[in-house]
Amino acid sequence: MHNLNDLKVWIKAMDIAKKTYQLSANFPAEEKFGLTSQIRRSAVSVPSNIAEGAGRNTKGEFKNFLGIASGSSYELYTQLLLSYRLNLVDEEKVAPILSEVIEVQKMNYALIKSLAV
């Protein structure tokens, strides 16, 4: 088992989730059950799956949940980019978060590779 507070990828993913919630708070009301809901679910999924994997008993289980977190991070990247393309958010607000998502993707990949079973 891993201490979450020692996992930099989890800490960074938590920060991204918070920023994504703040960003999506300004989306139009008609997106409440559409993109707003979807983007928040994927943002929460990244640190949640890292956390669940960290609490598992084997490296294989941890790697599996890190793989799910990776997929969610690509989902989040896509949804953030789409929100920009739909003019729901300005580039200067979304660009830093997109960069952070890419950073988490790289960190997560490195962690997966370090857990070679």
Side-chain angles (χ1 to χ4, degrees), residues 69-80:
S70 180
S72 294
S73 72
Y74 278 87
E75 237 186 307
L76 177 59
Y77 184 89
T78 299
Q79 293 157 0
L80 287 168

Side-chain angles (χ1 to χ4, degrees), residues 24-91:
S24 62
N26 297 317
F27 285 5
E30 63 265 16
E31 285 297 331
K32 181 178 181 182
F33 299 107
L35 192 54
T36 303
S37 175
Q38 189 65 33
I39 203 170
R40 287 178 171 188
R41 280 196 306 268
S42 60
V44 168
S45 179
V46 179
S48 296
N49 277 292
I50 294 168
E52 187 167 356
R56 295 298 175 130
N57 295 322
T58 67
K59 286 182 182 181
E61 288 178 299
F62 191 17
K63 280 179 67 173
N64 182 57
F65 280 96
L66 291 175
I68 295 167
S70 180
S72 294
S73 72
Y74 278 87
E75 237 186 307
L76 177 59
Y77 184 89
T78 299
Q79 293 157 0
L80 287 168
L81 193 56
L82 181 59
S83 67
Y84 167 69
R85 290 183 178 186
L86 292 171
N87 297 313
L88 300 176
V89 64
D90 295 329
E91 183 177 8

